[in-house]
Amino acid sequence: MITRRGLILGGASLLAGCDSLTDSPGLMRAEDAHRFLQRSVTGRAALAREFRTDQRSPLFRVNGTGNPDTPEYNALAANRFADWRLVVDGLVARPLRLSLAQLRSMPQRAQVTRHDCVEGWSAIGKWQGPRLETLLDLAGIRDDARYIVFHCADRFGTTPYYESIDLIDAFHPQTILAWAMNDAPLSVGHGAPVRLRVERQLGYKHAKYVMRVEAVASLASVGGGRGGYWEDSNGYEWYAGI
């Protein structure tokens, strides 16, 4: 039986389409080459290295925003995120609104991986949460979807943080929406209540404080068209594969 996941991970013609960014002309061709070479050498389903729990770093620095500190976020945090809901929408058949309890009740993946920050530091931590694939399957992602956009609670000025990945990374087994770090619920500094872990990319792709997961056909209308806040504001590469 041919499945959508099988086409994404194994169908050459669809993969070629997913690897093309011609719908988002702001993305540099050098990034296309970087992504093509990394996935050609390591394989699209290759796993990032995982470590033993005793290899975790004694200190895991906070990257990016340390606290969204908006009235809306502070109200959610004060109630231990009982009222928080993750929206999954866009090009899906069944839009979702999921509580933190519902995410915790789904099949979970735990992984001990290294976080590599673009600022030059690394740390090893344990992350737990449902695979993004589980949510996309539950929502019924449509055939015209090509990217997944993450809308977040933290802001830079008046601009909410946002990031995106393609379907190859979205369906990768190590791509999870983590609610726990080192066997405890995420702290505010580390992205509570939920952050993205996309283990084969640099740290700025691991969006924190995720509020909405949107399936889209193109990145052209996402922010400035490059697919992420730092990509638009500071010229970071959209594909930050490691």
Side-chain angles (χ1 to χ4, degrees):
M1 178 180 178
I2 298 176
T3 65
R4 178 174 176 78
R5 190 179 306 108
L7 286 171
I8 292 169
L9 295 178
S13 61
L14 181 56
L15 284 171
C18 286
D19 278 351
S20 172
L21 289 175
T22 54
D23 65 300
S24 300
L27 297 171
M28 296 188 300
R29 291 184 180 275
E31 296 179 25
D32 297 349
H34 172 200
R35 180 171 38 163
F36 174 79
L37 288 172
Q38 194 223 30
R39 287 176 172 169
S40 297
V41 171
T42 64
R44 293 172 172 88
L47 300 179
R49 180 183 175 186
E50 297 192 20
F51 299 81
R52 302 188 310 272
T53 55
D54 64 334
Q55 294 177 296
R56 291 178 295 180
S57 300
L59 173 66
F60 200 113
R61 293 170 57 179
V62 170
N63 67 305
T65 302
N67 187 335
D69 198 25
T70 64
E72 296 81 8
Y73 181 84
N74 291 340
L76 292 171
N79 199 26
R80 297 184 179 180
F81 301 102
D83 299 322
W84 171 87
R85 295 294 182 271
L86 176 67
V87 174
V88 182
D89 64 1
L91 299 179
V92 299
R94 299 174 294 276
L96 305 174
R97 285 180 58 86
L98 300 170
S99 68
L100 189 55
Q102 287 175 305
L103 287 182
R104 291 175 175 177
S105 71
M106 293 178 176
Q108 302 285 296
R109 178 180 172 88
Q111 54 201 31
V112 182
T113 54
R114 188 181 68 199
H115 181 98
D116 293 309
C117 183
V118 71
E119 297 172 348
W121 59 268
S122 298
I124 296 172
K126 180 181 179 182
W127 307 94
Q128 179 178 322
R131 289 174 58 178
L132 178 59
E133 173 187 39
T134 300
L135 276 69
L136 297 178
D137 284 347
L138 188 62
I141 187 169
R142 286 171 27 184
D143 289 341
D144 50 342
R146 296 180 63 195
Y147 306 97
I148 305 299
V149 181
F150 302 89
H151 304 272
C152 305
D154 50 333
R155 292 177 174 271
F156 288 79
T158 60
T159 304
Y161 192 80
Y162 55 97
E163 255 304 340
S164 63
I165 57 178
D166 66 15
L167 294 189
I168 295 173
D169 278 321
F171 282 90
H172 189 274
Q174 290 175 313
T175 299
I176 67 174
L177 289 178
W179 59 267
M181 174 185 173
N182 292 337
D183 299 314
L186 286 178
S187 67
V188 169
H190 286 108
V194 165
R195 72 177 295 166
L196 173 68
R197 294 301 304 177
V198 54
E199 300 297 352
R200 299 193 306 171
Q201 299 211 32
L202 290 171
Y204 65 88
K205 300 294 290 189
H206 299 230
K208 303 195 298 185
Y209 317 111
V210 177
M211 301 294 290
R212 179 185 174 204
V213 176
E214 180 189 15
V216 300
S218 169
L219 298 178
S221 61
V222 177
R226 292 180 57 87
Y229 174 79
W230 291 113
E231 292 91 323
D232 285 330
S233 63
N234 282 53
Y236 283 23
E237 291 188 358
W238 175 78
Y239 184 72
I242 51 177

